[in-house]
Amino acid sequence: MVEAAPPRAGSWSTPYLTVLRSRIRAQRSYRLSFASEVFSALVMGLVEFAEVWVIFHTARVLGGLDLDAALLLFGLSHTSFALSQVLFGHLDTLPTLIRMGRLDAYHLRPQPLLLQLITSDITLRRFARAAVAIGVLGIALARNDLDWGPSTTALLVMTVLGGVAMFGGVFVCAAGLQFYLIDGAEFTNSFTYGGSFAATQPASVFPTPMKLLFGFAIPVSFTAYLPTIALLRLPGPPLLPTWLAWLTPVAALWVWLLALGLWRLGTRHYQGGGG
Amino acid sequence: MGLPHDPRARYARIFVRGIPEGDGQRAVGKRFRSAVTVYAYLVGAGFRRQSHYKLAMFAGLFTNCVFGFVRASVLVAAVHAASDFGGYDQGTIGAYVWLSQGLLGAVQFTGPLGELDDRVKNGDIAIDFLRPVDIQFCYLAEDLGRAACTFLPRGVPSVLVGALTFGLAMPATPGPYLLGMMSVLLAVAISFLCRFAVALVGFWVVETRGIRQLYYASATFLAGLFVPVHMFPSWLRAIAEATPFPSVLQSPVDVLSGRITGAEAFSIVGVQVFWVLVTGVAGRVLLIAGRRRLEVQGG
C-alpha cells in the first residue's frame, strides 16, 4: 500500500497571504499612527496636485495641454504610480535590509526572494494616495470631451494596467541596483520618484535627450503622456507620435526584461551580511 | 550608542576636561571658551561624518540633477507660455530651479534626524539629558557641519550643471552672494530646528512616520520647492508666509539669485532670524515638556 503524502498546508500562495493578513492587522492596531499616516498620504496627494494646478493656473496651456488635459495626465500617472507603490514601493528599503544584515533571513526561506520582499510590507496608508489619484482621474474623465467607445475603454484599462506594471518594473530595476550601491541608494530615486515626477509632466516640453530618456529608455511617457494625447486626439511632438500609446504593454515588457536582468545580477552579486 | 565615531561620546570627554576648577570671572570665560570648543568640535564632526559618504553625495547630486532637468523644462515652458509668470524669465527661472536643487542637500527636509527619532522612541535620549551639553545645540552643531559638507559635492555642481545646460541669470556683484551665504546658514538652522521639533513629537506618539510625512509634504510645497512661492495665488501665499518654510528655501534662493536686493533683502534675512527664534523656542518647549513625560525603564 502506498502511503498518501502528508497533506500540504494550503497552496503556494498561503505564506504570502498569511504575511499580508498579519501586516494589515498590525497596521490597524495603532489607530492614531495609522490615521496620521493616511492623513499625511492624503495631504501628499493634494500637494502634488496643487503643484500642477498652480502652474496651469498661470500658464493656461503648457506643452499643448490645458488644465483639463493636465488633470487627465496627473490622474493617469499618479494612479498607476500609487498602485504600484502599494505593491512594490517598500523595495526601496532594501539598502537598510542589506546593511543591517537582515536580508539573509529572507534567503533562508524556501520562497523566491523578490516575492517575499514584495509581500513583506504592503501598507494600507499607500491606498490613500492612490485614492486621491483615482479621484482626480475620475474628475478628469468627466471633464474632458472623450470619444467613449470600446477603443477608449480598452486604451484606459491597458494604460492603467501597463502603468502599474511599468512602475513596478522600475522599482525592481532600482532594487537590483541597490545590491551594488548601498551608500548610493539615492541614485535609484532618479528612476523611481524621478520617473514618476517626469511621467506627470507633459513630455512635449522636454528637450530631445529627455524625450529619448523618458520616452524609450525608462519609458514613463507611456504611462500617462502618450495615452492622454491619444484619448484627447491631440498630435504628439516629434519622436512621440500619438499611436505609440497603444504600445504601452511593449514598453512595460521592456522595463520588466531590464528589471529581471538587474535583479538577477544584483542577487548574484550579493555576498551575504556575514554573522 | 556605542559607535566608535559617535561624536557625542568624545565631546563629553573634552567638555569634562575643560570644566574649570576655580570660580570667578576667569572661570566663566574658560567655561564659555570650552563650550565654544565643544560646539566647534561638533560642527567638525558633522562635517567629517558626512564626508565619508562619497558615493551617497554623488548619488544625491545625480538625483538633484534629474529632478532639476524635469523641473527646469516644465517651468521654462511655463514662462514662455504665460504672459507674466511671476516676473520670471528664462534666466531667472533657471536660477531659481538650479539654486533650489543645489540647496536641497544642505537644507534637507527629511534627513539625518533618524537617529534622534530612534533615541526619542527607545528612550536613549535619557542619556543625552545627562550629558553636560545642550541637546538642541549639539544636534544643531552637527547638522551645520553636515550641511557645510554638502556645498562642494552637491550644491556648486548642481548650479554649474544648470548654468551649462539652461543658462542662469546670476548677480554680477558680490553683495547678493555674501548676504546669500548668511541667508543659507539661517535656512539650514530653521530647517534643522523644524525637524528637531517634529522628532520630539515622538515623546507623545509611538510612531512619528505619519507626522514626518505630513511635515515633508507641506514643508516642501510651502517652501517653494516645486513652484516658486511668488506664483502662488494670494491666499495660498498668505498661508505659506505664515509658516517658516519659505525662509528655508525661497528666501535664500531669492537673495542668492539677486531677485531681491537692497533693504528688502536685509528684511528677508530679518524674517529668517525671527523664524530661527520661533522654531528654536518651540523645540526648547517640546524638549522640556518631553523630558517631564519621559519614563526611563529598567536599570
Side-chain angles (χ1 to χ4, degrees):
Chain A
M1 244 177 70
V2 182
E3 221 170 286
R8 287 170 57 119
S11 67
W12 68 271
S13 60
T14 311
Y16 305 110
L17 289 178
T18 311
V19 169
L20 284 183
R21 265 199 299 276
S22 82
R23 285 277 160 195
I24 288 168
R25 265 206 313 280
Q27 290 171 56
R28 283 205 321 240
S29 54
Y30 289 100
R31 281 172 205 285
L32 186 64
S33 301
F34 179 62
S36 75
E37 291 194 357
V38 168
F39 181 68
S40 71
L42 274 173
V43 170
M44 185 87 89
L46 287 177
V47 160
E48 279 164 343
F49 175 66
E51 289 155 24
V52 175
W53 179 76
V54 170
I55 290 181
F56 277 86
H57 180 72
T58 317
R60 302 286 163 200
V61 176
L62 190 60
L65 304 184
D66 60 7
L67 182 59
D68 285 339
L71 282 180
L72 190 55
L73 184 67
F74 180 94
L76 284 173
S77 62
H78 278 257
T79 300
S80 10
F81 185 72
L83 287 176
S84 90
Q85 228 193 355
V86 169
L87 290 169
F88 299 91
H90 52 276
L91 280 179
D92 57 19
T93 59
L94 191 63
T96 317
L97 291 183
I98 296 174
R99 205 182 291 127
M100 299 295 191
R102 295 215 308 263
L103 191 68
D104 297 11
Y106 288 87
H107 267 112
L108 291 174
R109 299 177 197 145
Q111 256 99 33
L113 180 62
L114 188 57
L115 263 176
Q116 284 187 60
L117 286 175
I118 287 171
T119 48
S120 71
D121 190 16
I122 299 282
T123 46
L124 291 173
R125 70 196 150 85
R126 293 206 166 111
F127 281 107
R129 214 162 156 192
V132 174
I134 293 170
V136 173
L137 181 59
I139 295 169
L141 291 177
R143 283 180 65 98
N144 280 291
D145 173 31
L146 298 184
D147 182 15
W148 284 104
S151 76
T152 302
T153 315
L155 186 61
L156 264 177
V157 172
M158 193 183 77
T159 299
V160 173
L161 293 181
V164 174
M166 182 176 317
F167 282 124
V170 171
F171 274 115
V172 175
C173 282
L177 288 173
Q178 306 286 23
F179 288 100
Y180 291 91
L181 304 166
I182 304 299
D183 266 353
E186 213 188 330
F187 256 123
T188 56
N189 286 0
S190 319
F191 311 122
T192 51
Y193 300 96
S196 138
F197 182 51
T200 319
Q201 314 299 336
S204 40
V205 304
F206 293 157
T208 309
M210 283 168 67
K211 277 199 194 103
L212 290 174
L213 177 65
F214 294 118
F216 302 100
I218 314 165
V220 291
S221 295
F222 283 86
T223 63
Y225 176 69
L226 287 166
T228 298
I229 56 174
L231 287 166
L232 298 176
R233 304 173 298 279
L234 296 171
L239 286 175
L240 296 172
T242 308
W243 54 264
L244 273 181
W246 290 96
L247 297 184
T248 304
V250 179
L253 200 66
W254 150 245
V255 172
W256 269 96
L257 281 177
L258 208 63
L260 292 178
L262 285 172
W263 180 254
R264 211 178 151 84
L265 272 180
T267 43
R268 287 199 173 165
H269 173 76
Y270 180 63
Q271 302 280 323
Chain B
M1 76 170 229
L3 289 180
H5 63 280
D6 179 11
R8 275 184 304 280
R10 280 182 69 186
Y11 73 67
R13 282 202 298 278
I14 296 178
F15 192 87
V16 171
R17 220 187 300 134
I19 285 180
E21 306 270 312
D23 44 11
Q25 280 302 102
R26 231 181 110 230
V28 172
K30 260 192 180 172
R31 177 166 295 179
F32 177 73
R33 268 205 307 283
S34 66
V36 169
T37 317
V38 169
Y39 293 118
Y41 178 80
L42 281 171
V43 172
F47 189 96
R48 277 195 305 280
R49 180 190 275 195
Q50 178 71 12
S51 68
H52 289 303
Y53 298 103
K54 296 198 174 59
L55 186 60
M57 282 189 278
F58 185 68
L61 170 65
F62 186 81
T63 309
N64 275 175
C65 289
V66 170
F67 275 84
F69 283 129
V70 177
R71 286 179 59 208
S73 318
V74 173
L75 288 178
V76 166
V79 163
H80 288 307
S83 53
D84 175 35
F85 198 78
Y88 283 105
D89 59 26
Q90 175 153 359
T92 52
I93 200 79
Y96 153 77
V97 168
W98 290 99
L99 281 174
S100 58
Q101 289 300 109
L103 287 178
L104 265 187
V107 297
Q108 301 202 60
F109 285 95
T110 55
L113 289 185
E115 193 186 306
L116 180 68
D117 286 321
D118 290 343
R119 289 177 81 77
V120 171
K121 199 194 278 182
N122 64 25
D124 281 352
I125 187 103
I127 299 164
D128 294 347
F129 278 123
L130 296 176
R131 288 177 171 150
V133 279
D134 185 87
I135 294 180
Q136 196 182 24
F137 287 159
C138 93
Y139 275 99
L140 173 63
E142 271 186 81
D143 199 57
L144 289 177
R146 178 205 57 76
C149 189
T150 63
F151 277 102
L152 282 181
R154 269 180 85 163
V156 174
S158 290
V159 178
L160 280 180
V161 167
L164 292 174
T165 51
F166 279 81
L168 315 180
M170 296 291 286
T173 51
Y177 297 103
L178 288 175
L179 192 62
M181 292 318 286
M182 184 75 201
S183 177
V184 169
L185 182 70
L186 291 168
V188 171
I190 298 169
S191 171
F192 164 79
L193 290 167
C194 288
R195 281 178 288 135
F196 183 80
V198 170
L200 292 190
V201 176
F203 279 121
W204 292 271
V205 297
V206 180
E207 175 58 71
T208 54
R209 188 164 63 179
I211 292 159
R212 276 182 284 142
Q213 280 173 345
L214 188 62
Y215 171 78
Y216 177 77
S218 39
T220 49
F221 178 63
L222 296 175
L225 175 60
F226 297 100
V227 189
V229 177
H230 308 292
M231 301 307 308
F232 289 0
S234 54
W235 60 271
L236 194 55
R237 204 173 156 182
I239 294 176
E241 277 162 2
T243 70
F245 306 125
S247 287
V248 175
L249 201 66
Q250 187 73 55
S251 303
V253 168
D254 283 347
V255 175
L256 273 175
S257 66
R259 180 186 167 99
I260 292 174
T261 51
E264 228 185 317
F266 281 98
S267 78
I268 283 191
V269 174
V271 171
Q272 285 185 299
V273 172
F274 166 78
W275 283 116
V276 168
L277 295 176
V278 171
T279 52
V281 168
R284 203 126 280 256
V285 169
L286 285 170
L287 198 59
I288 293 166
R291 186 176 189 166
R292 287 216 192 92
R293 155 110 193 166
L294 183 64
E295 224 173 89
V296 181
Q297 300 182 346

